[in-house]
């Protein structure tokens, strides 16, 4: 005779009641020592930035801009060390972060922020990028705000010491007139060959407003003596 079927209430293995899944632990809520171990494995600035940008609490906790500059410097140091030892480079060369902000159009306040961070972290520049490099970028990309900052902070030689060379470079390479005019306004003398270089490059035409500005500041010569029209 078959045993009777047990009633549901007398089942020896009753089904457990389903419970809701616990909420996942957020990364920034982990214990600090665990959180720091995870961060140490993020050594690429772009990965660090993406991680920080994933939510507001992480962005405020990680100080991503400064840390990205530090990671960027560490990456380039590894690359230069490999090059000096003739070791195969295992990671691709990347543009230095500060280059991105001075060689491309960005709002002036954004550029100033990144220059300030770079200056605070690397007062004498880095192995990959010096203040002299930034000076030439300022000239090439017509970034007068950056050039002013470099002079004001004493990071490069003064206008009096190198202004003539900078004006010659700007004129010869047909870069922006704004920097050239600022240099002249700050005491750099205008020689005949400067105006000739601008005219030859098509930066302005003779008797234009720009030409009149440089002609007014021209150092007198045998070909162009001062005249008294009073």
């Amino acid at each position: 005779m078959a045993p009777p079927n047990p009633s549901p209430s007398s089942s020896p293995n009753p089904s457990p009641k389903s419970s809701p899944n616990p909420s996942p632990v957020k990364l920034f809520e982990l214990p600090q020592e665990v959180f720091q171990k995870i961060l140490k494995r993020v050594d690429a600035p772009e990965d660090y930035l993406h991680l920080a940008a994933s939510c507001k609490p992480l962005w405020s906790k990680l100080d991503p801009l400064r840390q990205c500059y530090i990671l960027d410097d560490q990456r380039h140091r590894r690359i230069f060390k490999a090059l000096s030892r003739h070791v195969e480079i295992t990671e691709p060369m990347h543009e230095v972060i500060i280059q991105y902000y001075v060689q491309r159009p960005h709002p002036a306040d954004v550029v100033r922020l990144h220059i300030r961070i770079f200056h605070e972290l690397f007062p004498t520049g880095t192995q990959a990028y010096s203040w002299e490099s930034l000076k030439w970028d300022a000239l090439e990309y017509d970034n007068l705000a950056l050039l002013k900052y470099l002079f004001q902070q004493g990071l490069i030689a003064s206008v009096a010491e190198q202004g003539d060379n900078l004006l010659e470079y700007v004129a010869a390479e047909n870069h922006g007139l704004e920097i050239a005019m600022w240099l002249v306004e700050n005491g750099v003398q205008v020689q005949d060959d400067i105006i000739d270089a601008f005219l030859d490059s098509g930066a302005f035409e003779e008797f234009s407003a720009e030409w009149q500005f440089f002609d007014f500041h021209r150092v007198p010569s045998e070909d162009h003596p001062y005249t008294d029209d009073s």
Side-chain angles (χ1 to χ4, degrees):
M1 183 176 179
N5 291 326
S7 64
S9 60
S10 61
S11 175
N13 297 307
S15 300
K17 292 183 179 180
S18 60
S19 59
N21 293 327
S23 300
V25 178
K26 296 180 174 63
L27 181 61
F28 56 84
E29 294 176 341
L30 290 171
Q32 187 64 18
E33 61 272 16
V34 177
F35 182 69
Q36 291 300 325
K37 285 183 179 180
I38 294 173
L39 288 184
K40 286 182 178 179
R41 301 186 67 85
V42 184
D43 59 358
E46 56 270 21
D47 293 339
Y48 196 96
L49 186 63
H50 291 157
L51 174 64
S54 62
C55 65
K56 289 183 178 179
L58 276 179
W59 185 269
S60 60
K61 185 173 184 175
L62 295 181
D63 193 10
L65 296 183
R66 294 176 65 88
Q67 187 61 25
C68 282
Y69 273 99
I70 293 172
L71 293 175
D72 188 52
D73 179 54
Q74 292 173 350
R75 174 166 62 187
H76 282 88
R77 285 179 181 274
R78 291 194 299 270
I79 293 174
F80 285 127
K81 186 175 181 180
L83 290 172
S84 66
R85 295 182 175 182
H86 304 287
V87 176
E88 182 180 358
I89 300 175
T90 58
E91 52 187 326
M93 287 292 288
H94 289 265
E95 183 180 42
V96 181
I97 293 177
I98 194 65
Q99 286 181 280
Y100 175 77
Y101 287 97
V102 301
Q103 295 182 359
R104 291 170 175 78
H106 288 90
D109 57 335
V110 173
V111 176
R112 283 194 295 269
L113 170 64
H114 283 268
I115 292 297
R116 180 176 58 80
I117 292 173
F118 187 81
H119 187 194
E120 290 174 356
L121 291 173
F122 313 110
T124 59
T126 67
Q127 187 176 6
Y129 216 65
S130 67
W131 292 112
E132 280 293 306
S133 302
L134 280 173
K135 178 188 74 176
W136 295 113
D137 275 347
L139 296 175
E140 184 172 354
Y141 295 95
D142 306 330
N143 195 328
L144 179 57
L146 170 58
L147 189 65
K148 285 182 178 180
Y149 183 91
L150 298 177
F151 281 125
Q152 291 166 357
Q153 298 297 323
L155 299 170
I156 57 177
S158 67
V159 176
E161 294 175 285
Q162 62 173 333
D164 291 339
N165 292 334
L166 298 186
L167 183 58
E168 289 178 7
Y169 173 81
V170 172
E173 299 297 326
N174 192 20
H175 290 306
L177 290 176
E178 186 180 19
I179 288 179
M181 296 173 80
W182 182 83
L183 290 170
V184 172
E185 289 170 346
N186 283 269
V188 179
Q189 295 185 335
V190 179
Q191 307 291 342
D192 292 342
D193 56 347
I194 296 296
I195 296 180
D196 292 341
F198 278 128
L199 289 172
D200 292 342
S201 66
F204 53 73
E205 296 180 354
E206 195 169 7
F207 304 115
S208 64
E210 294 83 1
W211 177 88
Q212 292 180 45
F213 171 85
F214 288 100
D215 186 63
F216 177 79
H217 292 89
R218 186 199 302 258
V219 175
S221 64
E222 292 183 1
D223 294 332
H224 297 89
Y226 279 144
T227 59
D228 186 359
D229 297 328
S230 58

